[in-house]
Amino acid sequence: QLQASGGGLVQPGGSLRLSCVASGLTLDYYAIAWFRQAPGKEREGVLCIDSSWSFTYLSFFVTGRFTISRDNAKNTVFLQMNSLKPEDTAVYYCATRDTGCSARISDYDYWGQGTLVTVSS
């Protein structure tokens, strides 16, 4: 299981750090991605980190503002979001797959329940 947390209300230009904690599986050998779904829009990829700690931006719109990291000892992956914009408002989901990163939703085996991020003044 995956448990995403850390969402909330933040003003434009602010920062948030999301966490994705795994239970029942060891994240060391998995690629972990963050996806998001804005109201009325399709789910889209954000960032992914693989088992060798290489990361891949899945969205052009977060390049340079969002970063991804992992703490294997805590079985946790983090999404650091800086310079947040209203268009970043969405439910953010973490997901895993046992091979490399992919932008395809259907490639992921396990999903967290999502955490809501609202960027508004």
Side-chain angles (χ1 to χ4, degrees):
Q1 288 186 339
L2 299 177
Q3 180 76 32
S5 63
L9 174 64
V10 62
Q11 292 187 341
S15 298
L16 277 177
R17 189 176 80 157
L18 306 184
S19 300
C20 177
V21 181
S23 59
L25 62 105
T26 303
L27 289 182
D28 301 40
Y29 310 110
Y30 288 79
I32 300 95
W34 286 94
F35 287 79
R36 67 184 181 183
Q37 188 165 16
K41 295 188 176 181
E42 293 186 353
R43 193 170 300 188
E44 64 174 1
V46 177
L47 260 172
C48 179
I49 187 167
D50 65 20
S51 59
S52 63
W53 294 64
S54 295
F55 63 89
T56 303
Y57 280 102
L58 305 179
S59 169
F60 168 81
F61 300 105
V62 304
T63 303
R65 299 188 296 122
F66 291 11
T67 57
I68 190 169
S69 61
R70 59 193 300 162
D71 185 336
N72 287 346
K74 296 182 178 179
N75 226 22
T76 301
V77 172
F78 303 99
L79 180 68
Q80 178 67 43
M81 306 185 295
N82 299 326
S83 302
L84 283 161
K85 304 176 181 181
E87 51 265 42
D88 294 318
T89 295
V91 177
Y92 285 71
Y93 301 88
C94 55
T96 69
R97 65 191 300 250
D98 61 3
T99 51
C101 289
S102 171
R104 282 204 302 258
I105 294 171
S106 59
D107 284 345
Y108 289 83
D109 304 308
Y110 302 99
W111 289 82
Q113 85 289 358
T115 184
L116 176 62
V117 173
T118 304
V119 185
S120 175
S121 55

